[in-house]
Amino acid sequence: MMHDLNAQNAYKIYSTAEKREIKLDEIPAILKNKDVIFWGEEHNDSIGHDLENQLYQLLNSKQPYALGMEMFESDVQEVMDEYLQDLIRPDYLISAGRAWPNYTDYQPLVEYAKVHQLPVIATNAPKRYVSAVTKNGLTFLPKFNSLALSYLAPLPIHVDTGAYQHKFENIMGGHEALAASHIFESQNLWDATMAWHIATYLQKNPTSKIFHLNGGFHSDEKLGIYTQLESYLQRLKMTKQIGNVSCSADANWNNPDWQTYLNRGDIIILTQPKSK
């Protein structure tokens, strides 16, 4: 169930291109030419989850959007499809689909997709392969068989050693703290795999549009999954427009310095922290 967020007065939205505060129902028009819209969230932000649900429905009131989800790993796509076709019970989607502990936050979007016969794309890299890369590095992946590798982006995985790595290292404690770790390679595996599943879906469904949910770090500043997708679209010789929404809690949500957010996304949403 969606809450009356306007009554709560617990968030503000800003269009960086137009440099003005906007309402949620203005976003579809602003992003109408985007074939892929990334929603970069904080996974425990309840207001953000309500807003992404409302925006998904607003977008689909104009034209159909498939739903892409970091919250489901690519090897459970069959389980998701079975649920959308009403072949299995919801509890099997949760158990066999390895749904996140807070799946109830995302369930309204999946149910909306099911009722309206919209595809849901499980885009994330299976955790067991991410764990293997964290321990051994990307060079370890060829040890897995072809079925395992089909769930991931094609090898070799591109590692972004530019601004994205610098941003990642700052968050994780600096270059020296990560010198003996493969965790940034894991991060790129996540990004590349999500981007690859989006790109290949668009290749098979060239007129479709996608609304993709992921953690904000994966798409903020148009890095990570965003740049990986641009690369795959170029490889597949597809011209698609990408947009991103960045939604996060901020202590200054009610009176923000918007200049500090201009590079984060096309749409910036700040929510009230205490409502998380």
Side-chain angles (χ1 to χ4, degrees), residues 8-24:
Q8 289 182 18
N9 190 31
Y11 67 94
K12 285 185 178 290
I13 308 176
Y14 185 77
S15 166
T16 56
E18 300 179 11
K19 293 183 172 54
R20 66 179 179 92
E21 194 173 332
I22 62 172
K23 301 295 184 183
L24 185 71

Side-chain angles (χ1 to χ4, degrees), residues 196 198-206 233 235-238 240:
W196 178 250
I198 293 170
T200 53
Y201 177 84
L202 290 173
Q203 185 182 41
K204 296 174 184 175
N205 303 275
L233 291 173
R235 180 189 301 191
L236 297 172
K237 295 180 172 56
M238 290 190 291
K240 299 291 182 181

Side-chain angles (χ1 to χ4, degrees), residues 186-199:
S186 299
Q187 181 77 12
N188 281 266
L189 176 61
W190 270 325
D191 294 328
T193 297
M194 287 189 280
W196 178 250
H197 288 299
I198 293 170

Side-chain angles (χ1 to χ4, degrees), residues 23 33 92 128 136 175 206 214 220 235 242 249 258:
K23 301 295 184 183
N33 294 325
Y92 287 126
R128 59 192 183 274
N136 303 290
H175 178 76
N214 52 263
D220 281 357
R235 180 189 301 191
I242 310 171
W258 289 114

Side-chain angles (χ1 to χ4, degrees), residues 78-256:
E78 184 177 8
V79 178
M80 176 61 74
D81 292 342
E82 289 170 351
Y83 177 68
L84 295 175
Q85 295 166 28
D86 209 22
L87 299 175
I88 60 174
R89 301 196 312 254
D91 56 313
Y92 287 126
L93 173 64
I94 293 171
S95 59
R98 305 192 300 276
W100 284 13
N102 66 332
Y103 173 64
T104 54
D105 292 330
Y106 305 103
Q107 189 173 16
L109 290 97
V110 174
E111 293 302 318
Y112 181 89
K114 181 180 180 182
V115 168
H116 293 85
Q117 298 182 319
L118 299 165
V120 178
I121 312 162
T123 61
N124 207 358
K127 189 177 297 183
R128 59 192 183 274
Y129 307 128
V130 176
S131 178
V133 169
T134 300
K135 180 180 179 181
N136 303 290
L138 287 167
T139 57
F140 190 77
L141 285 178
K143 294 181 181 294
F144 291 100
N145 65 29
S146 59
L147 177 60
L149 295 178
S150 71
Y151 300 130
L152 308 173
L155 303 184
I157 303 295
H158 172 69
V159 177
D160 186 345
T161 57
Y164 191 53
Q165 183 175 12
H166 181 69
K167 178 184 174 183
F168 187 84
E169 290 175 348
N170 285 342
I171 291 292
M172 300 298 290
H175 178 76
E176 291 183 1
L178 299 177
S181 171
H182 297 287
I183 193 170
F184 185 59
E185 293 178 55
S186 299
Q187 181 77 12
N188 281 266
L189 176 61
W190 270 325
D191 294 328
T193 297
M194 287 189 280
W196 178 250
H197 288 299
I198 293 170
T200 53
Y201 177 84
L202 290 173
Q203 185 182 41
K204 296 174 184 175
N205 303 275
T207 62
S208 184
K209 291 178 177 282
I210 298 176
F211 182 63
H212 190 272
L213 307 182
N214 52 263
F217 194 92
H218 289 290
S219 56
D220 281 357
E221 300 175 43
K222 303 188 176 182
L223 298 172
I225 184 175
Y226 194 108
T227 54
Q228 293 277 10
L229 178 58
E230 287 181 321
S231 177
Y232 288 134
L233 291 173
Q234 185 177 16
R235 180 189 301 191
L236 297 172
K237 295 180 172 56
M238 290 190 291
T239 301
K240 299 291 182 181
Q241 300 299 314
I242 310 171
N244 71 322
V245 178
S246 177
C247 181
S248 60
D250 192 301
N252 297 316
W253 70 275
N254 200 33
N255 187 31

